[in-house]
Amino acid sequence: MADILTLTMNPALDIYTSIDRVVPNHKLRCAAAQNHPGGGGINVARVIHRLGGDVLALFTAGGVTGQVLQALLQAEHIPAQAISIAGETRESFSVHEAIGQQDFRFVLPGPTLSADEVHLCLQQLAASASSARYVIASGSLPPGAPDDFYAQVTAQVQARGGRMVLDTSGPALSAALRAGGVYLVKPSLRELRELTELPLNTEADWCAASRALIAQGQTEIVALSLGEDGALLVSATQAWRAQALQVEVASTIGAGDSFLAALVWALSQSQDLAQALRQAMAAGAAALLSSGTALSQPADMARLLPAVRLRAA
C-alpha cells in the first residue's frame, strides 16, 4: 500500500488552450488543445510521483471521459485506482489570453453521485488507505456527496492513525474543520475569511486566525495561500512567512496543487516545517512556468529552491 493516498471525488479531464484575446460575441479560434488528467487530488499525486514519493491516486471515474482520464494517468505512470460511477466524468476548460496574460477557467459541476456511490467511495478509501500515513483530500465535492463527506473521511483516517490533509472550500471545508481532527488544511485567504467571518487584513490577523483553528482542535497546521503575496505556514509553536518567487508566468493553473504536493511530500520525508514550506514555494513557482495543468517539474523546483526566503511571522 502507498505511503500517501490522494482522494479526488470530482476529477476532470482538463482541456487547455490559448488565444490572443478573449472577446464577447465572436467565434474565438484557439490554439491546439492540451489534455491533462485533472482534479485537485490527481494533480497532487502527479507531482508527488515526480518527486519520487510513494503515492496512490484514488478517484471516481465514469463514462468515456473517465476512460480518457485513466488513460492519461497510465501514460504518466501514476499509480491510480478508479472508483466506477454511473455518471460521466466532467471536463474543465481553460483559456490563456496572451495579450492580457490572464487565465479564464470554466468549471462544470460534475456528475451526481448516488448514495450507494458515496458509500462505495468510503469503503474503497478504507481498503486503499489502510497503511497510508497521509491522506490528501483535494478538490470540490460532486453533486450528491453530503457536505460532511470530508468530515467522515477525516474520522476514518484519524481512527487508524493516519494524517488527514484537506484542500477544499465552502460547506465541505467548514464541516470537516468543525468535526476536528484534520492534520493540515490549505485555505486561501478568501476561504479563511469566510470561515472566520473576519476581515483579516494583516499578517498578525492571519496568524491569529490560523492559531485559533489549531487551538480549537480543528487542525494542527494551517498552510495559508496568499497568491501573489506568497504563503504562511502556521502550527501551534511556529509560523513561517514566504514571499512569492518572481518568475515568468506561463499559466497560474495548478500552482496551488503543486504547492500542496511538495509540502506533504517534504513532511513525509521528515523535513521540518520551514524546509517543507521552502519546497512548497519552489513547487508552486515551478508550476507557473508550465502551460495548462502540466504542473511543476522537479528540475525547475531544484533550480528555484535556493531563491526561496522565509522569515518567522
Side-chain angles (χ1 to χ4, degrees), residues 55-77:
V55 66
L56 173 69
L58 182 66
F59 59 97
T60 60
V64 174
T65 311
Q67 293 174 6
V68 174
L69 182 71
Q70 293 178 70
L72 289 170
L73 285 168
Q74 289 172 2
E76 290 191 29
H77 307 289

Side-chain angles (χ1 to χ4, degrees), residues 100-124:
Q101 290 297 301
Q102 299 182 88
D103 290 312
F104 295 85
R105 306 176 68 180
F106 302 88
V107 180
L108 299 174
T112 299
L113 268 59
S114 68
D116 286 344
E117 288 172 333
V118 171
H119 182 63
L120 176 62
C121 290
L122 290 171
Q123 285 184 317
Q124 191 59 63

Side-chain angles (χ1 to χ4, degrees), residues 213-225:
L213 295 179
I214 295 167
Q216 293 161 9
Q218 297 187 38
T219 188
E220 294 182 36
I221 301 171
V222 177
L224 180 61
S225 172

Side-chain angles (χ1 to χ4, degrees), residues 143-162:
D147 289 344
D148 71 344
F149 180 83
Y150 286 141
Q152 295 180 55
V153 171
T154 301
Q156 184 185 112
V157 171
Q158 191 178 35
R160 56 166 187 73

Side-chain angles (χ1 to χ4, degrees), residues 179-195:
V182 173
Y183 171 67
L184 185 151
V185 64
K186 190 190 82 66
S188 67
L189 182 55
R190 175 184 57 81
E191 290 161 353
L192 188 60
R193 285 170 173 154
E194 291 174 354
L195 278 170

Side-chain angles (χ1 to χ4, degrees), residues 26-84:
H26 290 277
K27 290 182 179 179
L28 304 179
R29 302 199 181 276
C30 303
Q34 300 177 28
N35 292 341
H36 291 115
I42 285 176
N43 288 340
V44 169
R46 291 168 65 201
V47 174
I48 291 175
H49 179 71
R50 292 173 189 176
L51 292 169
D54 180 19
V55 66
L56 173 69
L58 182 66
F59 59 97
T60 60
V64 174
T65 311
Q67 293 174 6
V68 174
L69 182 71
Q70 293 178 70
L72 289 170
L73 285 168
Q74 289 172 2
E76 290 191 29
H77 307 289
I78 308 299
Q81 184 171 353
I83 303 169
S84 180

